[in-house]
Amino acid sequence: MKTPAGFECSYFYGDYYRGRKREECRLIGNTPAPHHWTADLCKTCPVPGIQRANACPHMVLDARVSRGFLGLKRKVHVSAYCNKSFQIVTEPHVGCGQCHPLPPPFIEPETR
């Protein structure tokens, strides 16, 4: 579903049936304030970019909202874990590197 920022995200849910306006992020969930989800977080959320770059079914995302300097700005931080290789994914846009190896044309040939 499209987020209020205009990106496609599978974790965003909006119910607009018959005048309702209920929106939620199912990745962040119902955390207590000040770490709760609001629609303005979708503008800078990295999750839609991660989903466009990496569609690995083994990668599990976890998100949390943190406050910046002096508590003025809030930001979404994402961590990822691979259920196939059982390791933390350091770069979620790329993946763990074991689930989807690069095809031979993209690998440098060995020098002899």
Side-chain angles (χ1 to χ4, degrees):
M1 180 170 249
K2 282 200 177 217
T3 65
F7 302 115
E8 194 72 29
C9 182
S10 63
Y11 295 105
F12 176 76
Y13 175 74
D15 184 11
Y16 308 109
Y17 183 70
R18 292 191 178 181
R20 288 185 217 150
K21 189 177 183 208
R22 187 178 135 220
E23 298 175 334
E24 65 183 44
C25 177
R26 293 185 172 169
L27 183 61
I28 295 173
N30 295 327
T31 56
H35 303 292
H36 62 287
W37 178 85
T38 54
D40 62 329
L41 289 172
C42 290
K43 293 176 190 170
T44 59
C45 183
V47 173
I50 292 170
Q51 289 181 333
R52 282 192 306 265
N54 188 357
C56 180
H58 305 290
M59 189 168 65
V60 178
L61 298 176
D62 183 41
R64 61 181 172 81
V65 178
S66 64
R67 299 186 82 96
F69 182 68
L70 296 175
L72 298 176
K73 290 193 177 192
R74 299 181 333 133
K75 189 175 180 180
V76 178
H77 291 278
V78 178
S79 59
Y81 182 79
C82 181
N83 283 333
K84 186 175 180 182
S85 62
F86 301 109
Q87 65 183 3
I88 295 173
V89 179
T90 56
E91 183 59 44
H93 287 89
V94 178
C96 68
Q98 295 180 5
C99 292
H100 308 285
L102 289 173
F106 295 104
I107 301 173
E108 293 182 22
E110 294 181 20
T111 57
R112 293 182 188 188

